[in-house]
């Protein structure tokens, strides 16, 4: 368990993006121009740009959104060695249910993310990421558990709710991407 490293903090990954998509199952490279392009970034048929826009027309790139899975995503190398747009919510897989038998994520927002991504170091400069479904609430609001050796200890925090993490999802579920040099 100590070899697992946090990719991002779930506490910062709560919420739902305001943009939506068409649910198409396409690649991350495609087409359209005009409003689908921003600073060299371009939406595909499945993976769309998230951006902020002001009433006077200012625009800023904010990240990526997977229309098929209805989640924010970011590009990471998955365990099959392929770069994929994996769920952007992440965390440390060191939390547990009250019995310390099932992994859990601790969140401070009212709703847990649909998926969570954990990264594992495979060598000093490389991480491999795996996505997991976030399942039912496993403890009452106000605490989460850590396992140290054989001791399962509750950490109290009135703002935290703990949700179970299911088995790893297949990498093929997430849109792949390739790196090009122009």
């Amino acid at each position: 368990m100590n070899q697992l490293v946090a990719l991002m903090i779930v506490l910062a990954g709560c919420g739902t993006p305001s943009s939506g998509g068409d649910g198409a199952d396409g690649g991350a490279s495609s087409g359209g121009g005009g409003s689908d392009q921003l600073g060299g970034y371009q939406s595909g048929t499945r993976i769309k740009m998230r951006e902020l826009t002001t009433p006077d027309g200012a625009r800023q790139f904010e990240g990526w959104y997977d229309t098929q899975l209805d989640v924010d995503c970011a590009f990471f190398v998955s365990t099959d060695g392929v770069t994929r747009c994996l769920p952007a919510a992440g965390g440390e897989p060191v939390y547990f249910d009250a019995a310390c038998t099932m992994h859990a994520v601790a969140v401070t927002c009212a709703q847990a993310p649909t998926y969570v991504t954990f990264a594992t170091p495979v060598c000093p400069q490389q991480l491999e990421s795996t996505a997991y479904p976030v399942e039912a609430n496993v403890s009452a609001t106000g605490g989460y558990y850590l396992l140290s050796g054989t001791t399962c200890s509750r950490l109290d925090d009135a703002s935290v709710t703990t949700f179970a993490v299911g088995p790893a999802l297949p990498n093929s579920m997430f849109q792949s991407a390739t790196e090009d040099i122009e």
Side-chain angles (χ1 to χ4, degrees), residues 138-157:
V138 294
S139 70
T141 299
Y144 50 98
Y145 296 82
L146 292 176
L147 181 62
S148 177
T150 58
T151 304
C152 186
S153 303
R154 179 183 168 97
L155 300 174
D156 289 317
D157 184 339

Side-chain angles (χ1 to χ4, degrees), residues 12-20 50 65 69-72 109 111-114:
C14 299
T16 303
S18 59
S19 63
R50 287 187 312 104
Y65 182 77
L69 299 176
D70 194 26
V71 296
D72 288 339
C109 53
Q111 184 176 356
T114 305

Side-chain angles (χ1 to χ4, degrees), residues 29-142:
S29 63
S30 79
S35 66
D36 285 344
Q37 294 183 357
L38 181 64
Y41 298 105
Q42 180 174 326
S43 289
T45 55
R46 174 177 172 177
I47 306 299
K48 303 289 186 181
M49 290 188 307
R50 287 187 312 104
E51 61 184 79
L52 292 176
T53 306
T54 64
D56 66 352
R59 295 168 57 196
Q60 176 178 312
F61 177 77
E62 286 292 301
W64 299 104
Y65 182 77
D66 186 325
T67 61
Q68 183 175 328
L69 299 176
D70 194 26
V71 296
D72 288 339
C73 63
F75 290 98
F76 302 107
V77 176
S78 60
T79 55
D80 61 1
V82 175
T83 299
R84 298 181 180 279
C85 205
L86 297 172
E92 293 187 49
V94 295
Y95 304 121
F96 289 89
D97 65 333
C100 282
T101 57
M102 121 178 34
H103 285 287
V105 292
V107 299
T108 59
C109 53
Q111 184 176 356
T114 305
Y115 306 102
V116 64
T117 298
F118 299 141
T120 305
V122 292
C123 65
Q125 299 292 319
Q126 183 181 350
L127 297 174
E128 286 184 345
S129 299
T130 306
Y132 300 84
V134 175
E135 299 177 345
N137 182 337
V138 294
S139 70
T141 299

